């Protein structure tokens, strides 16, 4: 793997020789594989054959990379394949997000949905999450992932940050996982190497400040903003946090971490604010930078009874919602879900026809795998119409001899179904 010479020079100077050599050694290793379990769907009934991600309550490292596409439990939203470093958001939220009362939250650059699904799982009951993605195709992927994870209390939109500023909605928490030069993903995604240039870094930090400036206007007084990138340089990281402090009055907040996590603090000379950098080779994951800041509170926060509840929220017409092809909710078809075998589940996910037992009730029926709803069919007697969304179907014709084993139920009988 050939890294750009200018990147090597800058990064060696930034990290120092010892850290730089550790970083370069990471390219000789396979990138870690990690997932995050959906506790709302799985509870304590499942176990993962892997090590826990120490900064995430439901994160796990897997010993190998299975063929996730052919695991029906992934499509049922039982877990999400997410890079381990980005799960640090869970620790940030655990330490700083208010608990108890419902909150309004916004993930401004949310696709494909890793941090949004994590945020949705962490929010207090009754909260509302706006998950936004400016790119229409990526917004559709985001909508699919959010629907599979948890459709309740989440609104997916396809807008630019300026549209949210103009909408004048106020949020208790805003996540800005901004577009970046991607230096921290070089090991995992070689395509990012060819896209890197000093000019692109320059464009990125300017765009990031534009996004943050719009997002800041959406933040309630006393609200939290989590800023993150998957790059290494200080221009897109520490220097942007310093700009937020000087121009917006942002107050960085510390996050308690463990020494054996090997997280690196500020690398900008003279800048000592609490920021958190994950460096491949030092930390067990890809490159990540994250900081959490608070908007000043000039006045006591008003009590907004009921305004955070989804049923009472009026969405401004300027925001474009992204509808999912099929609400992915447990029990929507009524009655008990029809259990499918593994081959039947894959056929269903390919949107193929299913042969149902003759005593199957007619009408809309939920179908499930190992107790988790995959979607619906419409049984008309002579046949069952597959209602799985066309956009979501598995296109590969490959059929594994055995299902990938990512989650195992503690009930052995469930694993055998």
């Amino acid at each position: 793997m050939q890294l750009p010479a200018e990147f090597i020079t800058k990064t060696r100077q930034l990290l120092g020789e010892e850290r730089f050599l550790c970083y370069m050694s990471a390219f000789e290793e396979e990138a870690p594989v990690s997932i995050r379990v959906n506790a709302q769907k799985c509870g304590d009934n499942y176990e993962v054959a892997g090590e826990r991600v120490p900064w995430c309550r439901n994160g796990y490292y897997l010993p190998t990379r299975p063929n996730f596409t052919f695991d029906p439990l992934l499509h049922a939203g039982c877990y999400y394949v997410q890079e381990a470093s980005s799960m640090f958001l869970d620790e940030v939220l655990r330490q700083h997000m208010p608990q108890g009362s419902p909150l309004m939250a916004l993930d401004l650059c949310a696709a494909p949905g890793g941090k949004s699904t994590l945020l949705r799982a962490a929010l207090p009951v009754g909260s509302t999450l706006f998950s936004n993605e400016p790119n229409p195709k990526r917004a559709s992927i985001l909508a699919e992932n959010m629907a599979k994870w948890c459709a309740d209390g989440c609104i997916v939109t396809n807008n630019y940050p300026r549209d949210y500023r103009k909408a004048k909605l106020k949020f208790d928490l805003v996540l800005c996982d901004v577009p970046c030069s991607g230096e921290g993903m070089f090991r995992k995604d070689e395509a990012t190497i060819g896209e890197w240039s000093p000019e692109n870094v320059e464009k990125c930090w300017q765009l990031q400040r534009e996004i943050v400036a719009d997002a800041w206007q959406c933040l309630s007084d006393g609200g939290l903003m989590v800023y993150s990138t998957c790059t290494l340089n200080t221009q897109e990281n520490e220097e942007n946090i310093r700009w937020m402090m000087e121009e917006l009055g942002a107050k960085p907040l510390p996050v308690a971490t463990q020494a054996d996590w090997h997280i690196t603090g500020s690398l900008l000379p003279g800048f000592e604010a609490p920021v958190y950098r994950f460096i491949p080779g030092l930390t067990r994951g890809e490159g990540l930078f994250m900081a959490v800041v608070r908007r000043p509170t000039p006045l006591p926060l008003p009590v907004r009874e009921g305004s955070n509840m989804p049923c009472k929220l009026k969405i401004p017409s300027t925001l474009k919602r992204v509808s999912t092809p099929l609400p992915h909710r447990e029990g929507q078809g009524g009655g008990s879900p029809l259990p499918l075998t593994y081959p039947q589940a894959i056929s269903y996910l390919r949107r193929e026809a299913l042969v149902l037992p003759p005593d199957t009730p007619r009408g809309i029926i939920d179908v499930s795998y190992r107790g988790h709803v995959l979607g619906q069919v419409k049984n008309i007697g002579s046949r069952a119409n597959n209602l799985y969304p066309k956009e979501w179907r598995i296109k590969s014709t490959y059929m594994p001899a055995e299902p990938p084993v990512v989650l195992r139920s503690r009930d052995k009988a469930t694993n055998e179904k």
Side-chain angles (χ1 to χ4, degrees):
M1 184 178 297
Q2 185 64 43
L3 300 177
E6 191 165 356
F7 167 77
I8 290 177
T9 300
K10 290 179 177 292
T11 306
R12 186 190 296 269
Q13 182 179 7
L14 171 68
L15 301 182
E17 192 64 19
E18 184 177 352
R19 286 198 192 102
F20 179 75
L21 292 176
C22 287
Y23 168 69
M24 292 301 295
S25 70
F27 289 93
E28 301 173 7
E29 305 170 353
E30 291 290 330
V33 181
S34 50
I35 65 163
R36 185 169 37 79
V37 176
N38 189 338
Q40 181 178 347
K41 291 191 174 184
C42 297
D44 296 325
N45 297 325
Y46 283 82
E47 57 188 10
V48 182
E51 300 176 50
R52 285 187 176 272
V53 175
W55 46 80
C56 181
R57 285 164 284 190
N58 296 301
Y60 293 86
Y61 294 105
L62 301 184
T64 59
R65 175 175 287 276
N67 195 333
F68 290 113
T69 299
F70 293 95
D71 186 358
L73 293 182
L74 172 68
H75 299 276
C78 293
Y79 65 92
Y80 191 96
V81 183
Q82 185 176 19
E83 198 282 308
S85 296
S86 63
M87 296 184 199
F88 184 61
L89 175 63
D90 187 61
E91 188 68 34
V92 171
L93 296 175
R94 180 163 26 175
Q95 295 187 30
H96 288 293
M97 184 178 66
Q99 294 296 324
S101 301
L103 301 175
M104 282 274 286
L106 168 63
D107 187 351
L108 201 53
C109 310
K115 292 185 178 67
S116 261
T117 53
L118 190 157
L119 178 55
R120 183 66 194 87
L123 286 169
V125 175
S127 297
T128 301
L129 171 63
F130 282 71
S131 294
N132 179 69
E133 171 55 44
N135 182 289
K137 289 185 178 180
R138 287 170 56 82
S140 295
I141 296 171
L142 171 65
E144 174 186 348
N145 287 330
M146 296 308 298
K148 289 179 176 180
W149 186 265
C150 177
D152 293 332
C154 182
I155 299 166
V156 178
T157 60
N158 172 215
N159 291 85
Y160 289 103
R162 62 176 177 269
D163 297 321
Y164 267 89
R165 171 175 52 80
K166 294 176 182 178
K168 297 183 179 180
L169 285 174
K170 292 295 183 181
F171 296 90
D172 305 294
L173 188 151
V174 176
L175 172 58
C176 287
D177 185 35
V178 291
C180 68
S181 58
E183 296 168 352
M185 303 301 289
F186 282 178
R187 173 176 62 172
K188 188 176 180 180
D189 184 3
E190 289 192 36
T192 58
I193 299 175
E195 298 170 359
W196 186 90
S197 69
E199 293 76 20
N200 190 37
V201 172
E202 189 76 10
K203 290 179 182 178
C204 283
W205 72 255
Q206 295 181 51
L207 174 61
Q208 290 155 2
R209 293 189 185 185
E210 292 175 10
I211 292 172
V212 168
D214 285 330
W216 196 253
Q217 299 304 312
C218 303
L219 196 59
S220 300
D221 290 340
L224 297 176
M225 176 179 287
V226 179
Y227 175 89
S228 64
T229 74
C230 58
T231 202
L232 301 176
N233 66 77
T234 61
Q235 291 168 280
E236 300 176 66
N237 295 325
E238 286 93 340
E239 293 177 47
N240 275 348
I241 300 301
R242 183 172 62 185
W243 171 81
M244 292 168 64
M245 295 168 63
E246 295 174 351
E247 298 297 324
L248 304 177
K251 180 183 178 182
L253 302 178
V255 179
T257 63
Q258 301 296 321
D260 59 1
W261 298 355
H262 303 291
I263 299 174
T264 303
S266 174
L267 295 179
L268 180 65
F271 184 74
E272 302 299 331
V275 297
Y276 304 88
R277 181 186 268 96
F278 289 66
I279 302 172
L282 289 177
T283 48
R284 194 176 176 187
E286 303 310 299
L288 175 85
F289 175 92
M290 189 171 286
V292 55
V293 301
R294 188 183 299 280
R295 182 181 173 112
T297 310
L299 297 172
L301 291 177
V303 177
R304 298 176 296 167
E305 293 187 7
S307 64
N308 284 328
M309 301 302 290
C311 59
K312 297 183 180 181
L313 181 64
K314 184 177 180 180
I315 303 172
S317 59
T318 53
L319 296 182
K320 181 181 177 183
R321 294 188 64 167
V322 180
S323 60
T324 53
L326 177 72
H328 203 89
R329 298 182 181 180
E330 303 285 332
Q332 189 188 27
S336 299
L338 180 68
L340 302 179
T341 64
Y342 178 64
Q344 287 176 324
I346 295 301
S347 292
Y348 175 75
L349 294 170
R350 287 190 174 125
R351 216 168 182 273
E352 297 171 351
L354 295 179
V355 177
L356 303 182
D359 59 346
T360 303
R362 297 195 182 191
I364 303 297
I365 300 170
D366 289 330
V367 294
S368 66
Y369 176 73
R370 287 173 56 181
H372 295 281
V373 173
L374 296 175
Q376 299 171 331
V377 296
K378 184 176 183 181
N379 185 23
I380 60 176
S382 59
R383 68 178 188 275
N385 294 332
N386 193 325
L387 301 182
Y388 197 67
K390 293 180 180 179
E391 299 90 331
W392 299 2
R393 72 188 187 280
I394 296 175
K395 297 179 182 179
S396 172
T397 59
Y398 170 73
M399 182 66 188
E402 299 288 340
V405 180
V406 178
L407 300 183
R408 291 194 63 85
S409 173
R410 290 190 167 91
D411 177 6
K412 293 183 179 180
T414 301
N415 294 323
E416 295 169 357
K417 290 180 180 179

